[in-house]
Amino acid sequence: MRLRTLGGLWIEADPAVPPLGPRRMGLLALVAAAGRRGITRERVIGILWAETDEEQARHTLSQNLYTLRRETGSNWISVTPELRLDPAITSDVAEFQDALAANDLPRAVDLYTGEFLEGFYLPGVPEFERWVEEERAKLKGAVIRALEGLATRADQSGQHQEAIGWWRRLANLDPLSARYAAGLMHALAAMGDHSAALAHLKDHQDAVKRELDAEPDPTVRALAVTLRRPASGMVIPAPAGSVVPVPAPVLTPVSEPARALDRMAAPTASWRRTGIILPVLLGLAAVIAVVVRTVRSHPEPSPPFLAVGVIRPPDTTALAGVLRDMLATSLGSIPGLQVVSNSRLVELMPRGADTIPGATSEAARRAGATEIIEGEMFPEPGGIGMSLRRVTLRSGVVRQGYTVHAADPMRLIDSAAAAIARDLGIAPPAGSVATIRTSSPAAYALYEQGLRAYYQYDAPAAYRLMSAALEEDSTFAMAAFYGWMASKDVVGLHEGDRELLRRAKQLAPRTVDRERLLIEGSVGLVASPLSTVVAVAETLAVRYPSDPDGQILLGQVYSAAGEWAGSVDALERAIALDSTAGVRAGSLCRLCTSLSRMAQVYLLWDSAAAAERTAHRLIALRPDIDSWGALVEPLLRQNRRTEAAAAVSSVPRGTFQRDRIRSGHFEEVDRELISDMQSALIPVRTEGRWLMLISLRNQGRLREAMALARDGVIPGSSSRVAGLPQEGTNLAILAMESGRPLEAARVYRSILASHLANEWSIGFEARYATWLLTLTGTALAAAGDTAGVRRMADSAEQMGRQSSFGRDPRLHHFLRGLLLQREARHAEAVEAFRRAIYSLTDGYTRINLEMARSLMALGRTTEAVAVLQPALRGGVDGSNTYVTHTELHEALAGAFDLAGQADSARTHYRAVEAAWRHADPQFTERYARARAKAGNPTPP
């Protein structure tokens, strides 16, 4: 067995040793670092149990030594007056010390694969942390002196290729060192690679500027000037001090900060000659500040942000993506370890990029990873093996290597994940990857193909492949999730494939924590109470702050909840996280998704100008797709119709038809809609009838609207809309607007009963139920049935809590506000209505209307205007279907009238007069009043 302490803290053993716990691992590290001389019990107790009574501490140490032997079956520590590792146990730190003692510098630097106990931490044991810092500085100082000796000897002997390697390692260990930068540049130039030398100058210059806010040492700048001269006859001066023989390094207990300060205390002669003492002193002060902060803070080391790259299988490349996903998933199941999911890498790689060298690493960089795991599998007698490397993405330096063996791929991946976890000083995965993915190779292969289809916008193929993967393994959670996500664009339902939705929700606990939260949050948006979904989305965003999926989901959830500022903030974070990933034509664009959703949020927030700016951001990012469509509605809401029409050529016809209804251009839109109702296409006929009904209602032509909704009679003719059933929602609305509210309530109840007969999920069923209970209650309030309104309010409150849409938990306040308004308790009614509002522009705009009426009753006309104006800027259907824009114009005209703003009132009265010129007789009195107030007393 072998104890590894450089680059982490773990045990190499076959078979693997059971987890020993952090305190016992720290004990082993203490004893290993003591080497042959050993360490006294008193010293161990003073480090590990300094706060414990001495007798109790001795007992605890003895108990730990006994437990080590009992639980592992091995005698780890020789118990003599001093504690030493048993001769059967080797350690890299002891071998490092032996190599230094023997002046075997290449062997010593090979053994130094990372800082001492890198990433290992014992919370609540400050003496141990101080000891680690001292030991870490001592060992790092020793390897630096060893590398300096090797680099200098290589320079002296003309072995420039070797010198490059030594100087590069030194520069990686201390990127701010002018001497190491100059040494590497000199060695590269001596090999004729001037471009690489100047590239390192740029890296060094950036590091010094970033960390010290200073310019590089004049020696480095002078060398750069020499490198930029024409190559003929050029002589590259060796960096100062590089030819001085360096004695064999000796381990001394000096801390790294002290060594750094000693090195900075004597500026070189070249600095003094150039007369730049002040900049040097400023740089020195900055370095001292950095050192002091480092000494004081002792920040807890954190694991790297990992990605899993190419793992080459022994016989076929088809398995490569599967292996990558398996290892990424297994590592992703470790709490506290951030790992780029394979789905994210697939998203960021172009089609067919698996065969392009460096494509996976580039995708990992764009995803934010700092290190990548790469390797290959190989056959062995009776099983398979795998060799892996953990590589720093920025520099390409191999941080650690691993070799594992197993009887099958699943166990091999489990062993690899455990080895990497031990290397990083964290607990290994709790279970096998087979339990959080699938043990079926066929299911895995189909899933991999489906994932690629999904991220190439091929929803039908993704739906088909993920469904096939589930047929191979019915417990494959992520196949169910992606199949359901793809199904929403295939089956034409808001819920998507309900069976896949149910299975994704049921199987979510079978996958890793990040994916579980993503599934539960995404599915919850249509299937769970909003309060639950908010909690899930916030947890995902907090636990995995570098994952744009979590921020996008949080933005969606906050939007559903009406938390507009929180939604925009979350989507901006997603954009910031994903901005380095960029976009590619034909692939999923998360930046585009985030910007599109943000534009919608701004519209709901009554901020059309902000939505316009967001649309321009989207267009600049992705002009190759129909991004211009996002610009249309913001422009229309700002009455910039010519610009909106010029922006696009393929926006749905209904967008401009809705705007013509909103702006009162009824004659023009009616001609188009009558033509649409005679189309051969059922979807065109259906939407044409729907919008025609809204237009007729806005014009007060309720009898024609009823004939169209009930019998399909097209206005102005004896023709009928072919092949469409009665329009039930408008039958209820028209009954309400025609003064028959009890009939409207009966129709709404009938619609509710038919909806509840469907097998909706809880969240979706509650959404429909709450909405229809509210509409029923509104009708009952108009009929004066206060007891019925209370029942509807109570039911809406209960059902609203289960809804997945943030409008619904608020709606019962509206019904209670109607009751207060009926009792002339207008101040209380206003507060109830205020609590009911989801969006002032695109919520249930009857709330705006009734709230304005109560505000006017209180004489608060300015507030009434402020409530009504956003409703006029909103859409004409959806939640806004149930109040016409003509009614809103009439109410707003009245509010301006009461406020003494005659000109503004006249504008809205004119809109009412123009709309109701051909209205039914029931509007005669209101029409005449509007005509008179508009300054047009004579009928047209």
Side-chain angles (χ1 to χ4, degrees), residues 283-335:
L284 177 60
V287 175
I288 291 173
V290 170
V291 171
V292 169
R293 285 198 302 271
T294 302
V295 171
R296 287 180 177 174
S297 62
H298 294 297
E300 179 180 347
S302 58
F305 188 176
L306 292 177
V308 179
V310 176
I311 302 176
R312 295 178 180 82
D315 49 4
T316 171
T317 57
L319 189 60
V322 173
L323 293 172
R324 184 174 65 221
D325 183 89
M326 288 166 65
L327 184 53
T329 301
S330 186
L331 290 170
S333 69
I334 300 173

Side-chain angles (χ1 to χ4, degrees), residues 110-242:
D110 283 345
L111 284 163
Y112 192 87
T113 56
E115 290 193 337
F116 181 65
L117 303 193
E118 185 175 358
F120 181 78
Y121 178 64
L122 275 183
V125 191
E127 287 300 325
F128 181 79
E129 287 305 301
R130 281 191 280 273
W131 172 79
V132 169
E133 288 293 332
E134 293 174 0
E135 200 71 19
R136 187 175 288 163
K138 180 172 64 175
L139 295 170
K140 186 175 182 180
V143 78
I144 283 175
R145 288 189 291 275
L147 284 165
E148 288 173 343
L150 290 167
T152 299
R153 291 171 190 176
D155 278 336
Q156 286 177 320
S157 59
Q159 296 174 321
H160 301 300
Q161 191 63 54
E162 287 188 25
I164 289 171
W166 304 132
W167 285 118
R168 193 180 297 282
R169 286 197 62 175
L170 283 164
N172 286 334
L173 285 169
D174 189 353
L176 303 180
S177 168
R179 182 185 174 201
Y180 301 158
L184 177 56
M185 291 166 65
H186 171 263
L188 288 166
M191 289 292 292
D193 196 349
H194 294 178
S195 61
L198 291 171
H200 181 70
L201 168 68
K202 178 65 167 58
D203 290 343
H204 174 70
Q205 188 175 26
D206 290 346
V208 172
K209 183 67 175 175
R210 182 175 60 252
E211 299 295 334
L212 307 179
D213 194 23
E215 294 299 321
D217 183 276
T219 305
V220 177
R221 297 205 301 270
L223 180 55
V225 171
T226 305
L227 288 169
R228 291 189 177 104
R229 290 174 185 161
S232 57
M234 182 172 61
V235 177
I236 305 298
S242 65

